[in-house]
Amino acid sequence: LQRSVTDTRRYFTARACGVTHVFKVGGAQAVAAMAYGTERVPKVHKIFGPGNPWVTAAKLVVAMDPDGAAYDMPAGPSEVLVIADHAAHPEFVAADLLAQAEHSVDAQVLLVTNARELGQAVSHEVERQLARLTRSQIIQAALAGSRLIVVDSLETALDVANEYAPEHLIIETERPREWLPRVRHAGSI
């Protein structure tokens, strides 16, 4: 699906950056279309963005071809580490974990909490929400490698997060901004 950026206000930022067209495409076939061009998709110089193992492999292949396109970086498994305390809402924490787990079977999701009761509530909420999701097989495979870590304090939770250095770090605590200065290693917060 091609859209002219001038068609809608939704693309204000794209227009401000000089983008003229947006293509809604995905998968390894989209990488090939962008790397070499088609009747509808023009050839690009560089391909950006995450993807599953097939997309990552396609990006590597076209980057090695002199007629292909450069790429940003090979993407690894999607991962999230959530730090939560007694004030967190179990349904929100569960949704955050499931949102990453649905990416692929090798996605990694971790909950680090100083509130054992919250951890139990999140576990139950994950099961409840999982029953309604269409990608449940992928999610269940990813959850097989997930972890719930109960620590003695939020200070220790931050130490765990800094040691793990997650792609995505979510802080769902009573006063989350107070912990930001202690974050040393995370892709996004």
Side-chain angles (χ1 to χ4, degrees), residues 26 33 40 71 84 91-92 96 106 139 149 152-153 168 180:
R40 295 181 141 179
Y71 73 104
E91 61 275 14
F92 296 166
D96 286 335
D106 59 356
I139 295 168
I149 302 169
D152 60 346
S153 66
H168 304 288
L180 290 178

Side-chain angles (χ1 to χ4, degrees), residues 12 14 25 28 30-32 35 39 41-43 45 59 74 80 96 98-99 101 107 117 130 139 146 151 154 178 184:
F12 172 80
V25 295
V31 170
E39 288 181 18
V41 178
K43 178 177 172 43
H45 297 289
K59 287 167 66 175
V80 66
D96 286 335
L98 292 167
E117 302 78 23
L130 180 61
I139 295 168
S146 69
V151 294
L154 290 177
E178 287 182 15
R184 297 285 178 256

Side-chain angles (χ1 to χ4, degrees), residues 1-144:
L1 171 67
Q2 177 183 355
R3 265 214 176 119
S4 171
V5 174
T6 58
D7 287 349
T8 176
R9 290 183 198 192
R10 288 189 295 175
Y11 298 108
F12 172 80
T13 302
R15 276 197 319 271
C17 293
V19 174
T20 58
H21 288 82
V22 173
F23 297 87
K24 185 177 179 181
V25 295
Q29 65 277 11
V31 170
M34 291 183 291
Y36 301 107
T38 69
E39 288 181 18
R40 295 181 141 179
V41 178
K43 178 177 172 43
V44 301
H45 297 289
K46 190 167 187 176
I47 299 171
F48 294 88
N52 63 28
W54 302 108
V55 168
T56 299
K59 287 167 66 175
L60 290 170
V61 168
V62 301
M64 290 188 291
D65 184 346
D67 295 325
Y71 73 104
D72 53 350
M73 65 180 180
S78 183
E79 61 188 21
V80 66
L81 186 148
V82 177
I83 295 175
D85 67 6
H86 68 280
H89 297 281
E91 61 275 14
F92 296 166
V93 175
D96 286 335
L97 297 171
L98 292 167
Q100 288 302 315
E102 77 173 352
H103 285 208
S104 67
V105 296
D106 59 356
Q108 299 172 3
V109 299
L110 294 96
L111 169 59
V112 182
T113 182
N114 64 342
R116 184 175 302 277
E117 302 78 23
L118 175 79
Q120 292 168 342
V122 169
S123 292
H124 293 298
E125 189 61 30
V126 163
E127 293 300 320
R128 188 185 74 74
Q129 290 182 29
L130 180 61
R132 299 187 321 234
L133 299 175
T134 58
R135 297 174 57 92
S136 61
Q137 287 183 320
I138 291 169
I139 295 168
Q140 286 175 329
L143 289 177

